[in-house]
Amino acid sequence: MKLVVAVVQDQDSNRLSNALTKNNFRATKLASTGGFLRSGNTTFIVGTEDSKIPQLLDIIKDNCRSREQMVSPVSPLGGNADSYIPYPIEVEVGGATVFVLPIEQFHHF
């Protein structure tokens, strides 16, 4: 048994949620916020059998894509201004960050 935690950009959230449901994966969705860009994310938590991990990872990979986006950095408040970039920069956002964790026990009451 494995616990999969997938952090995806909000733009990919509905597409991934629908694909998981269509493929009979149960998932818990949590609203989350990224620390670097402070933008909206969705964290999916899925418990599944070891044998289904490749299929689950393929679904996540197929429904969460990375993209380029222009962002205006937040100015440092009381922080170090030496590393502050005062103009918009292009960064890669999206995709999915996925953690696969072993589960010692699973109970459903």
Side-chain angles (χ1 to χ4, degrees):
M1 189 89 185
K2 300 283 191 229
L3 180 69
V4 176
V5 179
V7 181
V8 304
Q9 192 176 32
D10 279 345
Q11 288 177 302
D12 298 325
S13 175
N14 286 337
R15 184 173 47 252
L16 178 57
S17 182
N18 291 337
L20 291 172
T21 302
K22 180 180 175 184
N23 288 279
N24 297 315
F25 284 99
R26 291 181 175 179
T28 298
K29 284 174 52 173
L30 303 172
S32 53
T33 303
F36 176 64
L37 298 176
R38 293 176 175 79
S39 61
N41 293 325
T42 301
T43 300
F44 288 84
I45 301 173
V46 182
T48 191
E49 299 297 326
D50 291 20
S51 61
K52 293 184 178 182
I53 293 297
Q55 179 189 8
L56 177 57
L57 293 176
D58 285 342
I59 292 168
I60 295 170
K61 186 177 181 181
D62 292 344
N63 288 280
C64 301
R65 61 182 180 84
S66 58
R67 57 190 70 78
E68 299 293 322
Q69 178 177 321
M70 294 297 287
V71 297
S72 297
V74 178
S75 63
L77 299 174
N80 185 356
D82 294 338
S83 62
Y84 174 64
I85 302 170
Y87 48 86
I89 57 172
E90 188 172 48
V91 297
E92 185 176 316
V93 297
T97 301
V98 182
F99 303 92
V100 179
L101 309 166
I103 300 301
E104 288 185 29
Q105 294 184 21
F106 168 75
H107 303 281
H108 186 252
F109 301 108

